[in-house]
Amino acid sequence: RRYPTVELRAETFNGSTHVAVPSDSSFLKALLFELRLLDEHVFVQQRDSCTRISHSSVHSVATAAGELWPVLAFHKSGLIYACVPLVEGTLEPRPPLLTISGLSQGLALLLGIMDYISPSRKNEAELSTKIGQLRNLLIQACPLGTPLNTNIRSLSSSFEDIQEVPADKDQPAWRSSTYKGKPQVNVCITEKVKCMQYDQRDVVDTWQVYGAVNCKCDIEGSAPNVTLSLTLPTNAPPLQDIVVHHCVTSVDPAMLMSTSAEPLHDSVYNGPYKFPFIPPSDSFNLCYYTSQVPVPPILGCYQLVEEGSQVKITVNLKLHESIKNSFEYCEARIPFFNRGPIAQLEYKVSYGQLDLSREKSLLVWVIGQKFPKSLEVSLTGTLSFGTASKEHPTDYVCTGNTAYVKLYFRIPDFTLTGCYVDQHSVQIFVPGKPKITASRELISSDYYIWNSKAPAPMVYKPL
């Protein structure tokens, strides 16, 4: 399968170093020669000299127009899997392989194809059928030349819906199948909060919020128009660093220019956040955003002190009053690295329950689905350790008293920014009354509270 848009981009990026991909038959002949599957008994200086020993699946294929590089190709069970990844830049001098993102994308796609085809390798009829379907599946997996889904096997179930050539000339390439039935739209806002808390006077705590708006639009028509609006409460911090899906047809440029790299000021875009788009057939992320929220949801303090052969710990957690006190789950995990298994444990918790992991190196404090009325919980404990074995967990960062508590939680029907989708604001220009379902959630991600009695790795250090 060829992608003219990708070939045009390659010509633009590579400039004078660009080598066009030859015809299918010429490319196949050149590739077979390079892989030593053609004229393998003949010594060819260009191909077989010691300087051309290849330690990877990335090849340089000699064509009439010049050396075509990089060509990702490997031979497996009698089949050759190959693709030509795009290099977004000049080819001279050749960039390091690790800097070419197209290589990892291409390899993931080829491995997905191999995973789809290889189970049928011994059944010729089944293999022939699968290879016949592969072109249609690639329309869904890689519609415009960039892999969107490398799990080809998962796409095969919807094969009947895939159109090789869109029936309507107005149908965009990313709508690879058509829907029949009652129109419905599902929207879910997922916000993840990262946090580093130190409880130290000379170190600033940091926290960041990342949001993603996921949509699944089951709507009839070749190019249905949908408009979705994100709403913020009054005086809420604005959304920033907004990145939109390619199916969005137009947005206010000021929305995309608002960046968290600069301090908040009057010119920051405060909405409305409207997204008109023609949705793909499958679930997709309409947009991503960040926001500079004033407080983290849970404030914590962790103290670990060694006294002789024992370790004393104190953990205090407080839920901020602005946060919805209704969790699907909430727990604090306290690991003990570079020590032996926990041999003795005495503890007191003001709320929830404390469990010891099977390998006896981790305390799991299950707070549950609600904080108490005071919104504060505490844990104190004294631990002693046995002799460490080779299997016991180690960590290069957490040495000595440098240690942390990591929080895991999910709050359904809540976002830290207050961002939500007003169901009445969703506009769909199709006949019939569509069913709109909107949900939101806040999830912890890398939420650390470091031991304030020891130095910790800093995200930010004052000058």
Side-chain angles (χ1 to χ4, degrees):
R1 181 165 171 78
R2 288 172 175 268
Y3 297 94
T5 51
V6 179
E7 294 190 42
L8 184 63
R9 290 180 69 204
E11 197 173 338
T12 306
F13 275 122
N14 305 156
S16 60
T17 58
H18 175 70
V19 176
V21 180
S23 65
D24 290 0
S25 58
S26 300
F27 176 74
L28 177 59
K29 187 176 179 181
L31 182 62
L32 290 173
F33 180 81
E34 170 64 25
L35 296 176
R36 295 178 174 82
L37 298 173
L38 198 66
D39 296 336
E40 66 266 33
H41 302 301
V42 181
F43 178 81
V44 180
Q45 176 74 25
Q46 177 193 350
R47 180 190 67 182
D48 301 319
S49 71
C50 293
T51 58
R52 286 295 306 275
I53 295 174
S54 177
H55 297 288
S56 74
S57 299
V58 181
H59 302 274
S60 179
V61 176
T63 70
E67 291 278 325
L68 183 63
W69 181 91
V71 176
L72 185 58
F74 55 88
H75 187 219
K76 186 80 173 175
S77 304
L79 293 173
I80 298 168
Y81 300 85
C83 70
V84 184
L86 173 67
V87 178
E88 297 182 333
T90 181
L91 296 171
E92 294 294 342
R94 284 185 179 175
L97 297 182
L98 286 174
T99 64
I100 304 172
S101 60
L103 278 172
S104 55
Q105 293 176 348
L107 181 60
L109 184 63
L110 292 181
L111 291 175
I113 294 171
M114 187 178 75
D115 180 57
Y116 169 68
I117 287 177
S118 58
S120 311
R121 186 67 196 94
K122 294 178 182 176
N123 186 326
E124 286 297 326
E126 191 178 328
L127 178 66
S128 178
T129 302
K130 283 197 168 184
I131 290 177
Q133 292 176 348
L134 191 56
R135 178 176 173 80
N136 290 321
L137 293 173
L138 278 173
I139 293 173
Q140 201 171 24
C142 191
L144 300 174
T146 300
L148 301 180
N149 187 350
T150 56
N151 188 353
I152 307 297
R153 192 187 291 182
S154 70
L155 301 174
S156 58
S157 60
S158 56
F159 170 66
E160 296 298 325
D161 296 331
I162 300 170
Q163 302 171 356
E164 168 105 30
V165 179
D168 189 331
K169 61 180 176 56
D170 295 326
Q171 181 171 334
W174 59 83
R175 275 189 74 79
S176 54
S177 61
T178 55
Y179 171 78
K180 298 289 182 187
K182 187 177 179 182
Q184 52 186 3
V185 174
N186 289 302
V187 186
C188 179
I189 301 175
T190 299
E191 286 188 356
K192 293 187 176 181
V193 55
K194 289 188 173 186
C195 194
M196 290 278 177
Q197 295 182 39
Y198 302 99
D199 191 35
Q200 293 186 14
R201 190 173 295 176
D202 60 336
V203 185
V204 177
D205 294 346
T206 64
W207 56 92
Q208 298 164 305
V209 180
Y210 304 89
V213 181
N214 184 268
C215 298
K216 177 74 168 73
C217 302
D218 295 323
I219 305 169
E220 290 188 1
S222 57
N225 285 295
V226 180
T227 299
L228 184 147
S229 297
L230 299 181
T231 307
L232 291 175
T234 310
N235 298 326
L239 305 183
Q240 295 177 286
D241 304 321
I242 297 172
V243 179
V244 299
H245 191 272
H246 59 72
C247 72
V248 175
T249 51
S250 65
V251 289
D252 191 320
M255 185 194 300
L256 303 180
M257 295 297 288
S258 181
T259 170
S260 59
E262 297 177 8
L264 293 176
H265 50 75
D266 294 340
S267 64
V268 167
Y269 188 84
N270 287 294
Y273 302 95
K274 279 195 170 185
F275 300 90
F277 59 96
I278 299 172
S281 311
D282 297 319
S283 174
F284 70 103
N285 284 331
L286 176 67
C287 69
Y288 300 91
Y289 62 84
T290 67
S291 183
Q292 299 183 48
V293 294
V295 289
I298 298 175
L299 289 165
C301 170
Y302 178 36
Q303 294 185 346
L304 179 150
V305 179
E306 287 192 66
E307 293 184 358
S309 61
Q310 292 185 324
V311 167
K312 292 193 172 184
I313 62 168
T314 304
V315 185
N316 294 307
L317 301 175
K318 181 177 183 186
L319 181 69
H320 195 270
E321 56 268 16
S322 65
I323 307 301
K324 181 182 178 183
N325 190 8
S326 178
F327 295 78
E328 181 182 305
Y329 58 85
C330 181
E331 65 182 44
R333 297 184 186 179
I334 311 166
F336 295 94
F337 297 115
N338 309 311
R339 303 172 188 269
I342 296 171
Q344 284 187 313
L345 169 64
E346 294 178 10
Y347 69 90
K348 181 181 179 183
V349 288
S350 67
Y351 196 79
Q353 68 181 54
L354 191 70
D355 297 324
L356 180 61
S357 67
R358 185 179 297 175
E359 68 276 9
K360 297 187 176 180
S361 64
L362 176 72
L363 295 180
V364 181
W365 181 13
V366 180
I367 296 163
Q369 297 179 320
K370 251 184 170 17
F371 273 68
K373 283 187 178 180
S374 64
L375 302 181
E376 295 185 44
V377 293
S378 63
L379 159 68
T380 55
T382 305
L383 302 89
S384 59
F385 301 88
T387 306
S389 63
K390 287 183 179 179
E391 292 80 26
H392 204 73
T394 59
D395 191 295
Y396 295 109
V397 174
C398 297
T399 57
N401 286 357
T402 299
Y404 62 78
V405 174
K406 190 173 182 182
L407 298 187
Y408 296 82
F409 58 82
R410 178 181 180 269
I411 307 178
D413 194 30
F414 179 80
T415 50
L416 200 53
T417 60
C419 182
Y420 67 97
V421 173
D422 183 355
Q423 298 183 23
H424 301 292
S425 72
V426 179
Q427 297 176 314
I428 305 175
F429 303 98
V430 291
K433 189 175 181 182
K435 180 184 177 184
I436 312 292
T437 306
S439 60
R440 53 185 186 159
E441 60 183 357
L442 177 68
I443 301 174
S444 63
S445 171
D446 296 334
Y447 204 106
Y448 292 94
I449 299 164
W450 291 91
N451 177 21
S452 61
K453 297 292 186 181
M458 303 301 173
V459 173
Y460 164 82
K461 246 185 176 178
L463 297 173

